[in-house]
Amino acid sequence: MIDIAVLASGTGTNLAALLDLPEVREHICLVVSDRADAGALDLARRAGIPARVVQFGDFPDRRSFSLAVADAVEQAGAKGVVLAGFMRILSPEFCDRFPGRILNIHPSLLPRFPGARAVEAALEAGVEVTGVTVHFVDEQVDHGPVIRQEEVPVFPDDDADTLHQRIKTVEHRIYPEVVAQFVSGRLRL
Ligand code: GAR
């Protein structure tokens, strides 16, 4: 079994979906956010899970920020890291600390539309289908071996909110399934 830390910057709906699955919830030993106002922190506290804030601005560079997050993860006893809407780029040194043990979810069919504006970029490109990717993290942003992808249709009257909502419905179904496999040790790079 692999205990995990979940890293989240935002509202934390993906964290909420992970917490809803008991076999995942019991293996979440830490939630880390780079934002003190992240909804994910409240979710963690309500679930009785330690929550830590590590703010980018408190560090001189990306490397030292990333190493502080890695230290927090290790101190909590986590062996794996699950990114759930974590909107900071982590340095290569972070990946080296948890080789093959970092998962990410991204709201597009990677390699299309990496980055923080994936939903908007899909709309701007005029694609009829976008989707969700769950992947192992390597040293590039929103990049690494794909574990699972699922398509999501784009409707003509979609805006970023309606499309992202449809994408999140898929995220909330597939991420807990993949993370359950990961914590059980059945999913390996
Ligand atoms: C999710 O849609 C996730 O795929 C995306 O951030 C959102 C977080 O939502 N992640 C990325 O864009 C990573 N590049 P949440 O806070 O409601 O879970």
Side-chain angles (χ1 to χ4, degrees):
M1 291 304 216
I2 300 172
D3 283 344
I4 55 172
V6 178
L7 276 50
S9 303
T11 52
T13 62
N14 276 285
L15 172 62
L18 295 173
L19 290 169
D20 277 346
L21 196 62
E23 61 261 45
V24 170
R25 181 191 181 116
E26 66 187 354
H27 290 289
I28 302 175
C29 56
L30 179 69
V31 171
V32 179
S33 184
D34 59 312
R35 297 178 55 125
D37 62 350
L41 294 168
D42 289 332
L43 286 172
R45 291 183 190 117
R46 265 185 265 141
I49 294 167
R52 294 260 316 252
V53 179
V54 183
Q55 278 173 319
F56 189 75
D58 290 342
F59 297 88
D61 53 29
R62 187 176 309 287
R63 181 177 175 279
S64 48
F65 165 74
S66 301
L67 292 176
V69 177
D71 287 345
V73 170
E74 278 181 359
Q75 282 159 17
K79 298 280 184 271
V81 178
V82 170
L83 307 181
F86 191 67
M87 304 312 265
R88 290 280 176 193
I89 297 169
L90 292 159
S91 72
E93 291 84 1
F94 186 90
C95 301
D96 292 344
R97 294 269 285 269
F98 308 97
R101 285 180 278 120
I102 311 172
L103 304 186
N104 184 39
I105 190 160
H106 184 76
S108 76
L109 296 174
L110 292 171
R112 293 212 76 182
F113 314 126
R117 295 183 68 257
V119 178
E120 291 84 351
L123 284 172
E124 286 158 15
V127 296
E128 291 179 2
V129 175
T130 184
V132 175
T133 303
V134 179
H135 64 98
F136 286 107
V137 170
D138 67 13
E139 294 181 1
Q140 297 174 51
V141 176
D142 295 325
H143 191 272
V146 171
I147 299 163
R148 193 148 153 198
Q149 284 187 310
E150 195 162 309
E151 293 184 348
V152 175
V154 181
F155 299 143
D157 58 351
D158 266 333
D159 59 25
D161 283 343
T162 58
L163 179 56
H164 204 170
Q165 218 35 62
R166 195 173 314 114
I167 287 171
K168 282 192 178 189
T169 303
V170 174
E171 292 187 337
H172 300 163
R173 174 166 48 77
I174 69 175
Y175 212 20
E177 289 175 9
V178 172
V179 175
Q181 286 192 321
F182 180 65
V183 298
S184 75
R186 282 176 286 142
L187 174 67
R188 285 165 197 263
L189 180 60

